[in-house]
Amino acid sequence: MNDATTLPVLVPAPAGSATELIARLREMGLSVDHSPFLELRAQRDTDTRRAVEALAAGRFAHLVVDSRRAAEVLASYDGSTDSSGSADSSGSADSADSRHEVTFAVPEGVAVTAVGQETATALRELGVIAARVTADSDAAIARDLPEASTAGESLLLVCGAATDASVRPALEAKGYTVTQATAYRPRSVSLDAQLVRDLRLRGYGALALTTPMLASLAGHLGIHRDIRVLTRDAAVTAAAEARGLVVHGEATEPTEASLAEAVRRALAVV
């Protein structure tokens, strides 16, 4: 083993995500430090509640869920009543007209699309089977969906606040009428001082970046030049390079399995 492979790989993805990436890296015999740079805070405001209600009422022909976190937020609408008007985990209090029972349900006939295998698994755990599973990237959402069968076909996109702004118009260009529900918002977290020192003093062998926002945050930390920086796709690479990071490798496909393989190649793991 070389010096780089004796050092841990830093995965700064939010808690609950990048599970396949972490598992594959460990299967390769690499030490992994999963230290999130972000948290994904649930956004359960009136607009999201109304979208869940409209879905259950059969007002959408398609449902697109962009991540495990989005599926978890949908699952939190379990029919319980919030009569207190207290703030949700996003910090916003529900308005009076939304304080009633709301239940996530997918009526028969709704075509469900999961963005990535982790999302498909999360939905399956809720009893929802995705008819289509796209690659795990914003670009794949519109690219992998077919043209609407009829003009104006209704589609509910449940996603994060950082979803690329091009996704909605790209879906609309395919003939869909899109309702976009923001289920969660990424927020940066305070980083441990030792972690920051390790990044600056080569305490890691590699840094695996899964999203442009993570790449942007990493670019502010003064990453040591000998730490191998690996990215999941071209958008993450562009964000990293825009912040002055040297990217040592990019996954051949926008998947966690491919990113793990890019890490293996960069560290010359046999």
Side-chain angles (χ1 to χ4, degrees), residues 64-67 113-119 133-145 157 159 162-164 166-167 184 210-212 232-236 253-256:
V64 179
V65 183
D66 87 328
S67 64
T113 297
V115 181
Q117 287 293 341
E118 280 198 9
T119 309
V133 181
T134 73
D136 188 6
S137 69
D138 286 351
I141 296 174
R143 184 192 67 209
D144 294 354
L145 260 69
L157 171 62
C159 59
T163 296
D164 194 286
S166 66
V167 172
Y184 59 92
T210 55
T211 70
R232 194 184 67 170
D233 56 41
V236 183
E253 297 178 348
T255 65
E256 293 184 9

PDB file of all heavy atoms in Angstrom, residues 64-67 113-119 133-145 157 159 162-164 166-167 184 210-212 232-236 253-256:
ATOM      1  N   VAL A  64     -42.139  12.491  -9.341  1.00  0.00           N
ATOM      2  CA  VAL A  64     -40.685  12.342  -9.443  1.00  0.00           C
ATOM      3  C   VAL A  64     -40.092  12.708  -8.084  1.00  0.00           C
ATOM      4  O   VAL A  64     -40.316  13.811  -7.582  1.00  0.00           O
ATOM      5  CB  VAL A  64     -40.087  13.242 -10.540  1.00  0.00           C
ATOM      6  CG1 VAL A  64     -38.573  13.071 -10.600  1.00  0.00           C
ATOM      7  CG2 VAL A  64     -40.717  12.922 -11.893  1.00  0.00           C
ATOM      8  N   VAL A  65     -39.338  11.793  -7.488  1.00  0.00           N
ATOM      9  CA  VAL A  65     -38.719  11.998  -6.171  1.00  0.00           C
ATOM     10  C   VAL A  65     -37.206  11.987  -6.364  1.00  0.00           C
ATOM     11  O   VAL A  65     -36.659  11.029  -6.917  1.00  0.00           O
ATOM     12  CB  VAL A  65     -39.144  10.907  -5.179  1.00  0.00           C
ATOM     13  CG1 VAL A  65     -38.564  11.173  -3.793  1.00  0.00           C
ATOM     14  CG2 VAL A  65     -40.665  10.818  -5.113  1.00  0.00           C
ATOM     15  N   ASP A  66     -36.539  13.047  -5.903  1.00  0.00           N
ATOM     16  CA  ASP A  66     -35.145  13.230  -6.314  1.00  0.00           C
ATOM     17  C   ASP A  66     -34.099  12.628  -5.376  1.00  0.00           C
ATOM     18  O   ASP A  66     -32.916  12.607  -5.717  1.00  0.00           O
ATOM     19  CB  ASP A  66     -34.846  14.725  -6.517  1.00  0.00           C
ATOM     20  CG  ASP A  66     -34.422  15.436  -5.233  1.00  0.00           C
ATOM     21  OD1 ASP A  66     -34.888  15.049  -4.140  1.00  0.00           O
ATOM     22  OD2 ASP A  66     -33.621  16.391  -5.333  1.00  0.00           O
ATOM     23  N   SER A  67     -34.492  12.136  -4.185  1.00  0.00           N
ATOM     24  CA  SER A  67     -33.482  11.641  -3.252  1.00  0.00           C
ATOM     25  C   SER A  67     -34.139  10.869  -2.117  1.00  0.00           C
ATOM     26  O   SER A  67     -35.354  10.945  -1.906  1.00  0.00           O
ATOM     27  CB  SER A  67     -32.693  12.816  -2.655  1.00  0.00           C
ATOM     28  OG  SER A  67     -33.566  13.625  -1.888  1.00  0.00           O
ATOM     29  N   THR A 113     -41.248   8.045 -10.621  1.00  0.00           N
ATOM     30  CA  THR A 113     -39.849   8.022 -11.038  1.00  0.00           C
ATOM     31  C   THR A 113     -38.966   8.319  -9.834  1.00  0.00           C
ATOM     32  O   THR A 113     -39.188   9.308  -9.124  1.00  0.00           O
ATOM     33  CB  THR A 113     -39.571   9.065 -12.138  1.00  0.00           C
ATOM     34  OG1 THR A 113     -40.338   8.737 -13.299  1.00  0.00           O
ATOM     35  CG2 THR A 113     -38.094   9.104 -12.502  1.00  0.00           C
ATOM     36  N   ALA A 114     -37.981   7.467  -9.597  1.00  0.00           N
ATOM     37  CA  ALA A 114     -36.999   7.678  -8.530  1.00  0.00           C
ATOM     38  C   ALA A 114     -35.689   8.116  -9.163  1.00  0.00           C
ATOM     39  O   ALA A 114     -35.239   7.531 -10.150  1.00  0.00           O
ATOM     40  CB  ALA A 114     -36.793   6.395  -7.732  1.00  0.00           C
ATOM     41  N   VAL A 115     -35.086   9.137  -8.592  1.00  0.00           N
ATOM     42  CA  VAL A 115     -33.796   9.603  -9.083  1.00  0.00           C
ATOM     43  C   VAL A 115     -32.707   8.896  -8.282  1.00  0.00           C
ATOM     44  O   VAL A 115     -32.423   9.248  -7.142  1.00  0.00           O
ATOM     45  CB  VAL A 115     -33.670  11.134  -8.953  1.00  0.00           C
ATOM     46  CG1 VAL A 115     -32.330  11.612  -9.501  1.00  0.00           C
ATOM     47  CG2 VAL A 115     -34.819  11.817  -9.690  1.00  0.00           C
ATOM     48  N   GLY A 116     -32.155   7.854  -8.865  1.00  0.00           N
ATOM     49  CA  GLY A 116     -31.120   7.070  -8.199  1.00  0.00           C
ATOM     50  C   GLY A 116     -31.678   5.858  -7.472  1.00  0.00           C
ATOM     51  O   GLY A 116     -32.834   5.832  -7.048  1.00  0.00           O
ATOM     52  N   GLN A 117     -30.830   4.844  -7.341  1.00  0.00           N
ATOM     53  CA  GLN A 117     -31.247   3.593  -6.710  1.00  0.00           C
ATOM     54  C   GLN A 117     -31.563   3.769  -5.227  1.00  0.00           C
ATOM     55  O   GLN A 117     -32.450   3.115  -4.689  1.00  0.00           O
ATOM     56  CB  GLN A 117     -30.150   2.530  -6.882  1.00  0.00           C
ATOM     57  CG  GLN A 117     -30.034   1.984  -8.293  1.00  0.00           C
ATOM     58  CD  GLN A 117     -31.252   1.174  -8.716  1.00  0.00           C
ATOM     59  OE1 GLN A 117     -32.030   0.719  -7.874  1.00  0.00           O
ATOM     60  NE2 GLN A 117     -31.430   0.996 -10.010  1.00  0.00           N
ATOM     61  N   GLU A 118     -30.829   4.652  -4.532  1.00  0.00           N
ATOM     62  CA  GLU A 118     -31.113   4.873  -3.111  1.00  0.00           C
ATOM     63  C   GLU A 118     -32.527   5.412  -2.918  1.00  0.00           C
ATOM     64  O   GLU A 118     -33.221   5.046  -1.972  1.00  0.00           O
ATOM     65  CB  GLU A 118     -30.092   5.838  -2.501  1.00  0.00           C
ATOM     66  CG  GLU A 118     -28.767   5.186  -2.150  1.00  0.00           C
ATOM     67  CD  GLU A 118     -27.972   6.020  -1.169  1.00  0.00           C
ATOM     68  OE1 GLU A 118     -28.509   7.014  -0.640  1.00  0.00           O
ATOM     69  OE2 GLU A 118     -26.811   5.656  -0.926  1.00  0.00           O
ATOM     70  N   THR A 119     -32.944   6.292  -3.818  1.00  0.00           N
ATOM     71  CA  THR A 119     -34.298   6.838  -3.740  1.00  0.00           C
ATOM     72  C   THR A 119     -35.325   5.747  -4.000  1.00  0.00           C
ATOM     73  O   THR A 119     -36.353   5.667  -3.313  1.00  0.00           O
ATOM     74  CB  THR A 119     -34.477   7.975  -4.762  1.00  0.00           C
ATOM     75  OG1 THR A 119     -33.410   8.912  -4.611  1.00  0.00           O
ATOM     76  CG2 THR A 119     -35.804   8.676  -4.575  1.00  0.00           C
ATOM     77  N   VAL A 133     -36.319   4.304 -12.768  1.00  0.00           N
ATOM     78  CA  VAL A 133     -35.218   4.758 -11.925  1.00  0.00           C
ATOM     79  C   VAL A 133     -34.184   5.407 -12.829  1.00  0.00           C
ATOM     80  O   VAL A 133     -33.616   4.757 -13.705  1.00  0.00           O
ATOM     81  CB  VAL A 133     -34.581   3.600 -11.134  1.00  0.00           C
ATOM     82  CG1 VAL A 133     -33.449   4.120 -10.245  1.00  0.00           C
ATOM     83  CG2 VAL A 133     -35.626   2.873 -10.301  1.00  0.00           C
ATOM     84  N   THR A 134     -33.953   6.701 -12.633  1.00  0.00           N
ATOM     85  CA  THR A 134     -32.979   7.414 -13.457  1.00  0.00           C
ATOM     86  C   THR A 134     -31.610   7.372 -12.791  1.00  0.00           C
ATOM     87  O   THR A 134     -31.461   6.923 -11.663  1.00  0.00           O
ATOM     88  CB  THR A 134     -33.386   8.887 -13.653  1.00  0.00           C
ATOM     89  OG1 THR A 134     -33.157   9.597 -12.422  1.00  0.00           O
ATOM     90  CG2 THR A 134     -34.841   9.014 -14.063  1.00  0.00           C
ATOM     91  N   ALA A 135     -30.628   7.871 -13.512  1.00  0.00           N
ATOM     92  CA  ALA A 135     -29.326   8.089 -12.891  1.00  0.00           C
ATOM     93  C   ALA A 135     -29.485   9.121 -11.785  1.00  0.00           C
ATOM     94  O   ALA A 135     -30.429   9.914 -11.778  1.00  0.00           O
ATOM     95  CB  ALA A 135     -28.322   8.568 -13.935  1.00  0.00           C
ATOM     96  N   ASP A 136     -28.555   9.110 -10.845  1.00  0.00           N
ATOM     97  CA  ASP A 136     -28.666   9.973  -9.669  1.00  0.00           C
ATOM     98  C   ASP A 136     -28.026  11.337  -9.940  1.00  0.00           C
ATOM     99  O   ASP A 136     -26.935  11.646  -9.457  1.00  0.00           O
ATOM    100  CB  ASP A 136     -27.988   9.295  -8.477  1.00  0.00           C
ATOM    101  CG  ASP A 136     -28.236  10.035  -7.177  1.00  0.00           C
ATOM    102  OD1 ASP A 136     -29.016  11.005  -7.187  1.00  0.00           O
ATOM    103  OD2 ASP A 136     -27.651   9.647  -6.156  1.00  0.00           O
ATOM    104  N   SER A 137     -28.714  12.147 -10.717  1.00  0.00           N
ATOM    105  CA  SER A 137     -28.227  13.503 -10.999  1.00  0.00           C
ATOM    106  C   SER A 137     -29.397  14.357 -11.470  1.00  0.00           C
ATOM    107  O   SER A 137     -30.382  13.843 -12.005  1.00  0.00           O
ATOM    108  CB  SER A 137     -27.135  13.485 -12.066  1.00  0.00           C
ATOM    109  OG  SER A 137     -27.663  13.145 -13.329  1.00  0.00           O
ATOM    110  N   ASP A 138     -29.273  15.671 -11.285  1.00  0.00           N
ATOM    111  CA  ASP A 138     -30.318  16.580 -11.744  1.00  0.00           C
ATOM    112  C   ASP A 138     -30.513  16.468 -13.249  1.00  0.00           C
ATOM    113  O   ASP A 138     -31.643  16.499 -13.759  1.00  0.00           O
ATOM    114  CB  ASP A 138     -29.974  18.022 -11.382  1.00  0.00           C
ATOM    115  CG  ASP A 138     -30.147  18.313  -9.895  1.00  0.00           C
ATOM    116  OD1 ASP A 138     -30.686  17.452  -9.176  1.00  0.00           O
ATOM    117  OD2 ASP A 138     -29.740  19.397  -9.455  1.00  0.00           O
ATOM    118  N   ALA A 139     -29.425  16.344 -13.983  1.00  0.00           N
ATOM    119  CA  ALA A 139     -29.503  16.284 -15.445  1.00  0.00           C
ATOM    120  C   ALA A 139     -30.323  15.093 -15.919  1.00  0.00           C
ATOM    121  O   ALA A 139     -30.986  15.159 -16.955  1.00  0.00           O
ATOM    122  CB  ALA A 139     -28.100  16.230 -16.045  1.00  0.00           C
ATOM    123  N   ALA A 140     -30.295  14.002 -15.148  1.00  0.00           N
ATOM    124  CA  ALA A 140     -30.993  12.785 -15.562  1.00  0.00           C
ATOM    125  C   ALA A 140     -32.498  12.897 -15.433  1.00  0.00           C
ATOM    126  O   ALA A 140     -33.238  12.145 -16.079  1.00  0.00           O
ATOM    127  CB  ALA A 140     -30.495  11.595 -14.742  1.00  0.00           C
ATOM    128  N   ILE A 141     -32.982  13.826 -14.605  1.00  0.00           N
ATOM    129  CA  ILE A 141     -34.420  13.896 -14.345  1.00  0.00           C
ATOM    130  C   ILE A 141     -35.194  14.124 -15.643  1.00  0.00           C
ATOM    131  O   ILE A 141     -36.090  13.350 -15.995  1.00  0.00           O
ATOM    132  CB  ILE A 141     -34.737  14.991 -13.312  1.00  0.00           C
ATOM    133  CG1 ILE A 141     -34.106  14.645 -11.959  1.00  0.00           C
ATOM    134  CG2 ILE A 141     -36.258  15.144 -13.155  1.00  0.00           C
ATOM    135  CD1 ILE A 141     -34.251  15.734 -10.910  1.00  0.00           C
ATOM    136  N   ALA A 142     -34.849  15.177 -16.365  1.00  0.00           N
ATOM    137  CA  ALA A 142     -35.546  15.457 -17.621  1.00  0.00           C
ATOM    138  C   ALA A 142     -35.045  14.566 -18.750  1.00  0.00           C
ATOM    139  O   ALA A 142     -35.818  14.141 -19.609  1.00  0.00           O
ATOM    140  CB  ALA A 142     -35.383  16.923 -17.996  1.00  0.00           C
ATOM    141  N   ARG A 143     -33.752  14.271 -18.736  1.00  0.00           N
ATOM    142  CA  ARG A 143     -33.177  13.462 -19.821  1.00  0.00           C
ATOM    143  C   ARG A 143     -33.811  12.081 -19.902  1.00  0.00           C
ATOM    144  O   ARG A 143     -34.087  11.568 -20.999  1.00  0.00           O
ATOM    145  CB  ARG A 143     -31.665  13.322 -19.608  1.00  0.00           C
ATOM    146  CG  ARG A 143     -30.939  12.576 -20.719  1.00  0.00           C
ATOM    147  CD  ARG A 143     -29.527  12.230 -20.273  1.00  0.00           C
ATOM    148  NE  ARG A 143     -29.545  11.253 -19.183  1.00  0.00           N
ATOM    149  CZ  ARG A 143     -28.609  11.172 -18.248  1.00  0.00           C
ATOM    150  NH1 ARG A 143     -27.616  12.049 -18.227  1.00  0.00           N
ATOM    151  NH2 ARG A 143     -28.688  10.252 -17.306  1.00  0.00           N
ATOM    152  N   ASP A 144     -34.053  11.449 -18.761  1.00  0.00           N
ATOM    153  CA  ASP A 144     -34.505  10.060 -18.749  1.00  0.00           C
ATOM    154  C   ASP A 144     -36.019   9.901 -18.762  1.00  0.00           C
ATOM    155  O   ASP A 144     -36.516   8.793 -18.935  1.00  0.00           O
ATOM    156  CB  ASP A 144     -33.924   9.337 -17.531  1.00  0.00           C
ATOM    157  CG  ASP A 144     -32.410   9.194 -17.604  1.00  0.00           C
ATOM    158  OD1 ASP A 144     -31.835   9.563 -18.647  1.00  0.00           O
ATOM    159  OD2 ASP A 144     -31.803   8.728 -16.628  1.00  0.00           O
ATOM    160  N   LEU A 145     -36.758  10.997 -18.549  1.00  0.00           N
ATOM    161  CA  LEU A 145     -38.216  10.888 -18.644  1.00  0.00           C
ATOM    162  C   LEU A 145     -38.657  10.999 -20.104  1.00  0.00           C
ATOM    163  O   LEU A 145     -38.077  11.784 -20.866  1.00  0.00           O
ATOM    164  CB  LEU A 145     -38.900  11.979 -17.807  1.00  0.00           C
ATOM    165  CG  LEU A 145     -39.411  11.528 -16.434  1.00  0.00           C
ATOM    166  CD1 LEU A 145     -38.231  11.231 -15.515  1.00  0.00           C
ATOM    167  CD2 LEU A 145     -40.306  12.573 -15.813  1.00  0.00           C
ATOM    168  N   LEU A 157     -42.815  17.220  -8.910  1.00  0.00           N
ATOM    169  CA  LEU A 157     -41.388  17.021  -8.665  1.00  0.00           C
ATOM    170  C   LEU A 157     -41.098  17.361  -7.207  1.00  0.00           C
ATOM    171  O   LEU A 157     -41.260  18.509  -6.783  1.00  0.00           O
ATOM    172  CB  LEU A 157     -40.566  17.913  -9.592  1.00  0.00           C
ATOM    173  CG  LEU A 157     -39.056  17.999  -9.326  1.00  0.00           C
ATOM    174  CD1 LEU A 157     -38.386  16.635  -9.482  1.00  0.00           C
ATOM    175  CD2 LEU A 157     -38.408  19.032 -10.251  1.00  0.00           C
ATOM    176  N   CYS A 159     -38.261  17.670  -4.521  1.00  0.00           N
ATOM    177  CA  CYS A 159     -36.813  17.805  -4.627  1.00  0.00           C
ATOM    178  C   CYS A 159     -36.273  18.746  -3.555  1.00  0.00           C
ATOM    179  O   CYS A 159     -37.003  19.204  -2.685  1.00  0.00           O
ATOM    180  CB  CYS A 159     -36.444  18.318  -6.020  1.00  0.00           C
ATOM    181  SG  CYS A 159     -37.182  19.925  -6.410  1.00  0.00           S
ATOM    182  N   ALA A 162     -31.745  23.107  -3.688  1.00  0.00           N
ATOM    183  CA  ALA A 162     -30.568  23.316  -4.535  1.00  0.00           C
ATOM    184  C   ALA A 162     -30.667  22.606  -5.880  1.00  0.00           C
ATOM    185  O   ALA A 162     -29.705  22.622  -6.656  1.00  0.00           O
ATOM    186  CB  ALA A 162     -29.314  22.854  -3.795  1.00  0.00           C
ATOM    187  N   THR A 163     -31.814  22.016  -6.183  1.00  0.00           N
ATOM    188  CA  THR A 163     -31.985  21.369  -7.488  1.00  0.00           C
ATOM    189  C   THR A 163     -31.741  22.375  -8.599  1.00  0.00           C
ATOM    190  O   THR A 163     -32.178  23.523  -8.525  1.00  0.00           O
ATOM    191  CB  THR A 163     -33.409  20.789  -7.613  1.00  0.00           C
ATOM    192  OG1 THR A 163     -33.561  19.765  -6.620  1.00  0.00           O
ATOM    193  CG2 THR A 163     -33.661  20.191  -8.980  1.00  0.00           C
ATOM    194  N   ASP A 164     -31.037  21.929  -9.627  1.00  0.00           N
ATOM    195  CA  ASP A 164     -30.661  22.832 -10.714  1.00  0.00           C
ATOM    196  C   ASP A 164     -31.901  23.499 -11.324  1.00  0.00           C
ATOM    197  O   ASP A 164     -32.912  22.845 -11.575  1.00  0.00           O
ATOM    198  CB  ASP A 164     -29.914  22.046 -11.802  1.00  0.00           C
ATOM    199  CG  ASP A 164     -29.201  22.963 -12.773  1.00  0.00           C
ATOM    200  OD1 ASP A 164     -29.892  23.580 -13.615  1.00  0.00           O
ATOM    201  OD2 ASP A 164     -27.972  23.082 -12.683  1.00  0.00           O
ATOM    202  N   SER A 166     -32.496  24.419 -14.164  1.00  0.00           N
ATOM    203  CA  SER A 166     -32.830  24.002 -15.529  1.00  0.00           C
ATOM    204  C   SER A 166     -33.783  22.813 -15.571  1.00  0.00           C
ATOM    205  O   SER A 166     -34.362  22.514 -16.629  1.00  0.00           O
ATOM    206  CB  SER A 166     -31.547  23.627 -16.291  1.00  0.00           C
ATOM    207  OG  SER A 166     -30.940  22.469 -15.713  1.00  0.00           O
ATOM    208  N   VAL A 167     -33.978  22.122 -14.440  1.00  0.00           N
ATOM    209  CA  VAL A 167     -34.768  20.889 -14.449  1.00  0.00           C
ATOM    210  C   VAL A 167     -36.225  21.166 -14.810  1.00  0.00           C
ATOM    211  O   VAL A 167     -36.797  20.510 -15.692  1.00  0.00           O
ATOM    212  CB  VAL A 167     -34.675  20.161 -13.095  1.00  0.00           C
ATOM    213  CG1 VAL A 167     -35.655  18.980 -13.048  1.00  0.00           C
ATOM    214  CG2 VAL A 167     -33.257  19.677 -12.851  1.00  0.00           C
ATOM    215  N   TYR A 184     -36.718  19.786   1.109  1.00  0.00           N
ATOM    216  CA  TYR A 184     -35.615  19.996   2.058  1.00  0.00           C
ATOM    217  C   TYR A 184     -34.678  21.070   1.527  1.00  0.00           C
ATOM    218  O   TYR A 184     -34.644  21.355   0.333  1.00  0.00           O
ATOM    219  CB  TYR A 184     -34.837  18.694   2.289  1.00  0.00           C
ATOM    220  CG  TYR A 184     -34.231  18.108   1.026  1.00  0.00           C
ATOM    221  CD1 TYR A 184     -32.923  18.427   0.631  1.00  0.00           C
ATOM    222  CD2 TYR A 184     -34.956  17.246   0.213  1.00  0.00           C
ATOM    223  CE1 TYR A 184     -32.373  17.906  -0.520  1.00  0.00           C
ATOM    224  CE2 TYR A 184     -34.415  16.722  -0.950  1.00  0.00           C
ATOM    225  CZ  TYR A 184     -33.117  17.052  -1.300  1.00  0.00           C
ATOM    226  OH  TYR A 184     -32.575  16.540  -2.465  1.00  0.00           O
ATOM    227  N   THR A 210     -19.709  14.572  -4.097  1.00  0.00           N
ATOM    228  CA  THR A 210     -20.889  14.059  -4.796  1.00  0.00           C
ATOM    229  C   THR A 210     -21.788  15.137  -5.390  1.00  0.00           C
ATOM    230  O   THR A 210     -22.624  14.828  -6.238  1.00  0.00           O
ATOM    231  CB  THR A 210     -21.728  13.189  -3.845  1.00  0.00           C
ATOM    232  OG1 THR A 210     -22.036  13.958  -2.666  1.00  0.00           O
ATOM    233  CG2 THR A 210     -20.962  11.928  -3.445  1.00  0.00           C
ATOM    234  N   THR A 211     -21.660  16.394  -4.941  1.00  0.00           N
ATOM    235  CA  THR A 211     -22.532  17.458  -5.443  1.00  0.00           C
ATOM    236  C   THR A 211     -21.740  18.746  -5.651  1.00  0.00           C
ATOM    237  O   THR A 211     -20.703  18.965  -5.000  1.00  0.00           O
ATOM    238  CB  THR A 211     -23.690  17.768  -4.465  1.00  0.00           C
ATOM    239  OG1 THR A 211     -23.150  18.399  -3.289  1.00  0.00           O
ATOM    240  CG2 THR A 211     -24.454  16.507  -4.096  1.00  0.00           C
ATOM    241  N   PRO A 212     -22.228  19.633  -6.529  1.00  0.00           N
ATOM    242  CA  PRO A 212     -21.553  20.917  -6.723  1.00  0.00           C
ATOM    243  C   PRO A 212     -21.462  21.747  -5.440  1.00  0.00           C
ATOM    244  O   PRO A 212     -20.457  22.426  -5.213  1.00  0.00           O
ATOM    245  CB  PRO A 212     -22.426  21.607  -7.775  1.00  0.00           C
ATOM    246  CG  PRO A 212     -23.044  20.489  -8.555  1.00  0.00           C
ATOM    247  CD  PRO A 212     -23.313  19.427  -7.521  1.00  0.00           C
ATOM    248  N   ARG A 232     -18.128  13.216  -8.798  1.00  0.00           N
ATOM    249  CA  ARG A 232     -19.105  12.277  -9.351  1.00  0.00           C
ATOM    250  C   ARG A 232     -19.475  12.568 -10.794  1.00  0.00           C
ATOM    251  O   ARG A 232     -19.800  11.659 -11.554  1.00  0.00           O
ATOM    252  CB  ARG A 232     -20.371  12.262  -8.493  1.00  0.00           C
ATOM    253  CG  ARG A 232     -21.281  11.080  -8.791  1.00  0.00           C
ATOM    254  CD  ARG A 232     -22.544  11.143  -8.009  1.00  0.00           C
ATOM    255  NE  ARG A 232     -23.366  12.272  -8.431  1.00  0.00           N
ATOM    256  CZ  ARG A 232     -24.617  12.453  -8.036  1.00  0.00           C
ATOM    257  NH1 ARG A 232     -25.171  11.608  -7.194  1.00  0.00           N
ATOM    258  NH2 ARG A 232     -25.312  13.490  -8.444  1.00  0.00           N
ATOM    259  N   ASP A 233     -19.454  13.846 -11.203  1.00  0.00           N
ATOM    260  CA  ASP A 233     -19.833  14.162 -12.584  1.00  0.00           C
ATOM    261  C   ASP A 233     -19.249  15.509 -12.986  1.00  0.00           C
ATOM    262  O   ASP A 233     -18.563  16.177 -12.202  1.00  0.00           O
ATOM    263  CB  ASP A 233     -21.359  14.144 -12.762  1.00  0.00           C
ATOM    264  CG  ASP A 233     -22.082  15.077 -11.803  1.00  0.00           C
ATOM    265  OD1 ASP A 233     -21.591  16.198 -11.575  1.00  0.00           O
ATOM    266  OD2 ASP A 233     -23.140  14.687 -11.274  1.00  0.00           O
ATOM    267  N   ALA A 234     -19.533  15.907 -14.227  1.00  0.00           N
ATOM    268  CA  ALA A 234     -18.937  17.123 -14.779  1.00  0.00           C
ATOM    269  C   ALA A 234     -19.361  18.372 -14.025  1.00  0.00           C
ATOM    270  O   ALA A 234     -18.574  19.318 -13.874  1.00  0.00           O
ATOM    271  CB  ALA A 234     -19.308  17.250 -16.256  1.00  0.00           C
ATOM    272  N   ALA A 235     -20.604  18.404 -13.535  1.00  0.00           N
ATOM    273  CA  ALA A 235     -21.079  19.578 -12.793  1.00  0.00           C
ATOM    274  C   ALA A 235     -20.303  19.741 -11.485  1.00  0.00           C
ATOM    275  O   ALA A 235     -19.969  20.864 -11.086  1.00  0.00           O
ATOM    276  CB  ALA A 235     -22.569  19.450 -12.509  1.00  0.00           C
ATOM    277  N   VAL A 236     -19.999  18.634 -10.822  1.00  0.00           N
ATOM    278  CA  VAL A 236     -19.232  18.691  -9.580  1.00  0.00           C
ATOM    279  C   VAL A 236     -17.796  19.106  -9.886  1.00  0.00           C
ATOM    280  O   VAL A 236     -17.201  19.919  -9.161  1.00  0.00           O
ATOM    281  CB  VAL A 236     -19.263  17.332  -8.848  1.00  0.00           C
ATOM    282  CG1 VAL A 236     -18.526  17.429  -7.515  1.00  0.00           C
ATOM    283  CG2 VAL A 236     -20.698  16.876  -8.611  1.00  0.00           C
ATOM    284  N   GLU A 253     -19.386   7.402 -14.772  1.00  0.00           N
ATOM    285  CA  GLU A 253     -20.840   7.537 -14.773  1.00  0.00           C
ATOM    286  C   GLU A 253     -21.229   8.281 -13.493  1.00  0.00           C
ATOM    287  O   GLU A 253     -20.527   8.176 -12.482  1.00  0.00           O
ATOM    288  CB  GLU A 253     -21.526   6.161 -14.797  1.00  0.00           C
ATOM    289  CG  GLU A 253     -21.231   5.342 -16.035  1.00  0.00           C
ATOM    290  CD  GLU A 253     -21.892   3.982 -15.970  1.00  0.00           C
ATOM    291  OE1 GLU A 253     -22.374   3.607 -14.868  1.00  0.00           O
ATOM    292  OE2 GLU A 253     -21.927   3.292 -17.000  1.00  0.00           O
ATOM    293  N   PRO A 254     -22.349   9.014 -13.513  1.00  0.00           N
ATOM    294  CA  PRO A 254     -22.739   9.783 -12.321  1.00  0.00           C
ATOM    295  C   PRO A 254     -23.400   8.913 -11.250  1.00  0.00           C
ATOM    296  O   PRO A 254     -24.552   9.111 -10.874  1.00  0.00           O
ATOM    297  CB  PRO A 254     -23.711  10.822 -12.889  1.00  0.00           C
ATOM    298  CG  PRO A 254     -24.344  10.118 -14.046  1.00  0.00           C
ATOM    299  CD  PRO A 254     -23.253   9.272 -14.647  1.00  0.00           C
ATOM    300  N   THR A 255     -22.641   7.947 -10.758  1.00  0.00           N
ATOM    301  CA  THR A 255     -23.149   7.048  -9.723  1.00  0.00           C
ATOM    302  C   THR A 255     -22.129   6.933  -8.597  1.00  0.00           C
ATOM    303  O   THR A 255     -20.933   7.187  -8.783  1.00  0.00           O
ATOM    304  CB  THR A 255     -23.413   5.641 -10.284  1.00  0.00           C
ATOM    305  OG1 THR A 255     -22.158   5.059 -10.687  1.00  0.00           O
ATOM    306  CG2 THR A 255     -24.358   5.692 -11.486  1.00  0.00           C
ATOM    307  N   GLU A 256     -22.592   6.516  -7.439  1.00  0.00           N
ATOM    308  CA  GLU A 256     -21.694   6.343  -6.306  1.00  0.00           C
ATOM    309  C   GLU A 256     -20.733   5.182  -6.537  1.00  0.00           C
ATOM    310  O   GLU A 256     -19.567   5.229  -6.118  1.00  0.00           O
ATOM    311  CB  GLU A 256     -22.497   6.157  -5.026  1.00  0.00           C
ATOM    312  CG  GLU A 256     -23.261   7.420  -4.637  1.00  0.00           C
ATOM    313  CD  GLU A 256     -23.999   7.295  -3.326  1.00  0.00           C
ATOM    314  OE1 GLU A 256     -23.793   6.291  -2.610  1.00  0.00           O
ATOM    315  OE2 GLU A 256     -24.784   8.207  -3.009  1.00  0.00           O
TER     316      GLU A 256
END
